[in-house]
Structures are given as structure tokens and as C-alpha cells.
Amino acid sequence: MKQFAVIGLGRFGNSLATTLYKMGNEVIAIDIDEEKVENIAEQVTYAVQADATDENILKSIGLKNIDVAVITMASNLEASILATLSAKELGIEKVYAKAMNDQHSKVLYKIGADKVFLPERDMGIRVAHTLATTNIFEMIELDPEHSIIEINAPEKWDNKTLDEMDFRAKYGVNVIAIKRGKKFNISPIAEDIIKKGDILVVLGENKAIEKLESDQK
Ligand code: ADP
């Protein structure tokens, strides 16, 4: 069981804190707004009303030995920066933060954030993929440069083996599974034949995946 502190209980922070708690983790939820704290009190380990920009306050709450702190108040730039800095200064092992945009993200990394989330940007990318390319069903971002996508095999791939398609050499991507109807082939081999309409689960660098997507049309 891990110990988490979720700092800032807006829509994102609230959902993060209550989900982590439901998954069986210990969660300390913090917000400067008393009402936000009261609303979440029954759904986390404990909820505290406090100003998270102050390192001494974080220390008095007992955050020093927490495993992960997530700073979520992205729309308040000053509070987000000060709270991230305070959490790092306190010596919390992993400090994650939510940013509003790329500049904000850069600042948070510079002051020591271990990982920065840009949920609005990421969601925008995902929704764009779903809307614009009918063949892409899902996309999982592994890190900013790598993803796993599902891609629908077009006519021109029909009856070709993975060996003939040579995805790794041509595009630098790996086919990690092939789905045909309800059947899942989770460790495809070079001789496996692709049929039009198969769903290929592909892992690779985003640039390589984009190239594959445009060639696939
Ligand atoms: P969302 O978009 O997820 O709703 P917001 O940035 O609007 O996120 O939510 C920020 C939350 O952080 C609010 O609930 C706000 O009261 C809280 N907050 C802002 N400043 C501080 C602070 N200094 N200390 C603790 N909580 C803060």
C-alpha cells in the first residue's frame, strides 16, 4: 500500500484522490477551501484544510514521509509552483504536478517536479485521434515519445505476413498483438497472416506511429 498526498481538490484532484483511495491506497487530501475538504472527507484516509504553498504547513501535516505528492492546482500558477517547490524542499520522494500548458510544465520540471501531467493537452490529442482517423480505436501514451495504438488493417495489408510487412524495419514499430473478431493473438510470429479488418496493436515512437498511420490510408 502506498501513501499519497493529493494537493488541490478541484475536479482533477478530487477524482484522483477518491480513485486512489478506492484502489486501497492511503490518501491525504489537502485544499485551502474548507468546503472542498468537507466534501471529500468520507472518501479519503484524511482530509486537511491547509495552504499547501507553505513548506512548514506541509511538514506539520506529516507529509515528509509520504511516497507520492500530486500538486493539482494548475490554474493557480503561483500556488502550483510554490506547492511543488515546498513538497520537493520537504524531501518528498516523488512529486508530480499538473500543468496548464508547456511553459508551466517546463517551470515545474526546472524546480524539481518528477513528472508533470498535461491532462487537457493529452485528452485533446486522444480525442483528435478518435475523431479524425476512423481506424484508430484507442491510444495509450507510455511516455511523451512512445505510445501503443490500435490500427485497423487496410485492404493493402490483406493476406500479407508480418514478415512481408516488415513493420519493424520499415517503420520502427512492433506489432504486439493482432485481434481478429473476438480472437486475440497476443504473441504474433513473423509467419502470421494479416487479414483486412484485423486490429493490430502497435508499439513504437510517436513519430514512427504517425508515419505508419499516414501510409496506412
Ligand atoms: P481543476 O481544473 O482540476 O478543477 P483547479 O486548478 O481549478 O483544478 O483546482 C484547484 C484547487 O486547488 C481548488 O480546489 C483550490 O481551492 C485549491 N488550491 C488553490 N490554491 C491552493 C493552496 N495554496 N493550497 C491548497 N489548495 C489550493
Side-chain angles (χ1 to χ4, degrees):
M1 190 171 74
K2 272 194 174 174
Q3 286 188 315
F4 292 91
V6 176
I7 300 174
L9 303 171
R11 287 159 302 173
F12 180 84
N14 185 295
S15 153
L16 179 68
T18 54
T19 307
L20 284 170
Y21 183 70
K22 273 187 212 144
M23 291 166 79
N25 298 289
E26 198 168 300
V27 179
I28 303 175
I30 299 160
D31 202 290
I32 202 163
D33 179 344
E34 183 71 51
E35 204 183 322
K36 296 260 171 69
V37 175
E38 273 168 22
N39 284 341
I40 207 171
E42 303 285 305
Q43 302 165 72
V44 293
T45 313
Y46 75 97
V48 193
Q49 188 265 325
D51 180 352
T53 58
D54 188 328
E55 185 188 335
N56 290 323
I57 293 179
L58 295 185
K59 199 171 179 180
S60 69
I61 301 170
L63 288 200
K64 199 170 162 43
N65 296 316
I66 210 107
D67 299 305
V68 181
V70 190
I71 319 293
T72 76
M73 57 277 218
S75 50
N76 183 340
L77 193 65
E78 190 183 340
S80 149
I81 291 170
L82 291 176
T84 304
L85 200 58
S86 301
K88 276 315 279 186
E89 292 277 304
L90 194 61
I92 296 174
E93 178 138 339
K94 292 260 180 278
V95 177
Y96 300 156
K98 179 187 151 187
M100 239 177 339
N101 52 43
D102 288 335
Q103 267 180 313
H104 184 187
S105 161
K106 257 191 209 164
V107 173
L108 294 173
Y109 274 122
K110 284 250 163 149
I111 59 170
D114 296 286
K115 189 169 173 52
V116 177
F117 303 109
L118 283 153
E120 282 87 0
R121 182 202 61 182
D122 292 348
M123 200 59 193
I125 294 172
R126 264 197 201 204
V127 174
H129 272 269
T130 320
L131 297 181
T133 47
T134 48
N135 285 341
I136 308 303
F137 298 102
E138 272 290 353
M139 175 183 179
I140 301 166
E141 195 187 62
L142 298 174
D143 70 16
E145 272 101 52
H146 301 87
S147 304
I148 297 176
I149 61 151
E150 289 185 348
I151 193 161
N152 200 332
E155 178 89 55
K156 60 184 173 186
W157 296 359
D158 194 40
N159 279 324
K160 295 223 166 79
T161 64
L162 283 179
D163 193 33
E164 284 169 313
M165 287 304 300
D166 211 6
F167 290 106
R168 204 172 300 161
K170 276 195 209 138
Y171 298 97
V173 301
N174 283 297
V175 177
I176 55 176
I178 300 174
K179 194 177 178 192
R180 183 172 303 152
K182 284 190 176 143
K183 260 184 70 189
F184 234 124
N185 174 358
I186 54 160
S187 52
I189 55 170
E191 293 75 33
D192 284 343
I193 295 165
I194 302 168
K195 295 274 180 200
K196 177 178 176 264
D198 280 359
I199 293 164
L200 273 57
V201 183
V202 174
L203 164 80
E205 264 191 59
N206 293 341
K207 277 188 203 136
I209 287 175
E210 276 165 24
K211 186 166 181 332
L212 176 67
E213 282 173 1
S214 57
D215 283 8
Q216 169 239 16
K217 282 181 198 137

